[in-house]
Amino acid sequence: MMTSSLALENLNGLHGEEERLRALGLAAVKAAPAFTEHLELIGEAMDLVVILGRGYPTPSGHQQVVQLLGIRLFNAAATALKLALAGYYQAGFSLIRDLLETTHLLDYFLHDPAAVAIWQTGGTAAKKKFQPQAVRDALDKRDGFTTGKRAEIYQRYCVYASHPTYAGILLVAPKASGLATYGPFLDEPTLGHLLIDLAKFVMHGTLVFGHHFDDCRSSEIVGVIEHFHARATAWSATHLTNPSAP
């Protein structure tokens, strides 16, 4: 039977390894210009979410609810980034599914602002109306999409990260050995994949979030929004083969 002192020692040792890998992960980011660009975009997106959440003057009731979803967007991005740098790639990718669900919901509220009040009340009707698939289907119908791209992307993160599938074992195995391992590890190719995915979906979520504040009259905030739009456009042109993908 493990004693409390030994358990604490083991946990401290695990934390020490996480911090060691974080330093190596940050060094890998610094050494790779593309990784650095991904990280910078993630940081700017998170900054904008905070600005619109804390600094937006006189938000409406609708916008106050949206700001709460902004907190979830921010926290998911921050946690995924922390896990990525600490070497927990499967858990980091899993949070991207959370980002997708939050972004789809924010997008749905742009399409149907009255739905915010229904979502707030909860209950059986709201649960059915705002199921992830129902929200995706509504957005696809709005946009005239027929290929099911949103569902395909969502399912990818379910299979490889959120659900305990055999395919997902790939994310707990360093590429060099191919052997699944307990705890964190550094794998630069996987770190790069996670950073670009995180940058893509945090960027998208932030852009959708920002549209809920299109009535902003603060020149300072408008300037920050415009700067982020320009950064997002430039990053997408450089790093995404299909920047318009949902």
Side-chain angles (χ1 to χ4, degrees), residues 83-231:
L83 290 169
L85 292 173
Y88 291 108
Y89 305 116
Q90 173 267 320
F93 276 109
S94 181
L95 280 164
I96 292 180
R97 192 184 76 158
D98 192 273
L99 285 168
L100 285 170
E101 287 191 21
T102 303
T103 299
H104 291 161
L105 189 60
L106 285 165
D107 203 359
Y108 185 91
F109 290 157
L110 284 175
H111 162 70
D112 184 6
V116 172
I118 302 173
W119 178 74
Q120 277 185 280
T121 59
T124 303
K127 182 179 180 181
K128 182 177 180 180
K129 183 177 180 66
F130 300 111
Q131 285 181 342
Q133 182 176 341
V135 172
R136 291 194 306 270
D137 289 346
L139 293 177
D140 285 347
K141 183 177 180 180
R142 178 199 67 185
D143 297 334
F145 292 161
T146 59
T147 61
K149 187 71 172 179
R150 283 188 175 93
E152 177 188 332
I153 293 171
Y154 182 84
Q155 287 301 320
R156 184 185 310 150
Y157 291 100
C158 289
V159 170
Y160 285 100
S162 298
H163 295 167
T165 65
Y166 189 77
I169 298 300
L170 293 172
L171 293 178
V172 294
K175 294 285 190 299
S177 68
L179 300 175
T181 184
Y182 289 96
F185 58 89
L186 176 63
D187 189 87
E188 291 187 20
T190 306
L191 173 62
H193 288 308
L194 180 46
L195 286 176
I196 192 170
D197 280 12
L198 185 57
K200 175 181 177 179
F201 292 112
V202 173
M203 173 190 71
H204 184 207
T206 301
L207 292 172
V208 173
F209 177 73
H211 280 306
H212 284 275
F213 303 90
D214 281 344
D215 62 347
C216 182
R217 295 295 178 267
S218 166
S219 59
E220 182 178 355
I221 293 178
V222 169
V224 175
I225 293 172
E226 290 177 347
H227 171 75
F228 182 73
H229 275 250
R231 287 281 288 114

